[in-house]
Amino acid sequence: MSPPPPWRLRITVEGEATPDEGGDAASLRVVFTQFGVSVVGDAPEWLRSLPALPLPRPQGSVQTTFVDEDLRVSRGGRGGLFVLRRRGSRPADDDDR
């Protein structure tokens, strides 16, 4: 019996960001609105197109440490590192679909 093919998970999170009052220009308050998980690779169709789920609007903050036309690197309020790519900033690879 051979092992299953390798899969990668794609996790997407959507939210609304506003400038952090009293913070500097690199500080944002974030309210997360929904998230989704899908499987990338040779997976059954139902695993590749799971629906996005609403969130109970948890809040957080991020401090941007680098930004250019395509990428933003930020540190979250609890120390998490976020590397974000602007939607539509480059053509999708076959594995990104």
Side-chain angles (χ1 to χ4, degrees):
M1 181 173 181
S2 63
W7 295 343
R8 291 185 353 221
L9 287 180
R10 173 182 290 137
I11 300 170
T12 57
V13 180
E14 293 188 21
E16 301 163 354
T18 57
D20 190 5
E21 292 180 23
D24 61 27
S27 298
L28 295 173
R29 298 291 312 159
V30 180
V31 177
F32 299 101
T33 57
Q34 70 178 10
F35 80 100
V37 177
S38 60
V39 177
V40 178
D42 189 21
E45 180 61 33
W46 66 271
L47 276 177
R48 289 185 273 145
S49 59
L50 296 172
L53 300 172
L55 291 173
R57 303 187 68 79
Q59 297 183 22
S61 63
V62 294
Q63 179 76 28
T64 298
T65 56
F66 173 82
V67 66
D68 70 11
E69 293 178 6
D70 298 320
L71 293 176
R72 175 184 302 269
V73 179
S74 302
R75 177 80 55 188
R78 292 194 251 168
L81 180 66
F82 299 92
V83 179
L84 308 168
R85 178 175 51 97
R86 182 181 302 272
R87 282 184 170 180
S89 65
R90 66 174 177 82
D93 296 330
D94 287 340
D95 288 341
D96 279 350
R97 291 188 188 140

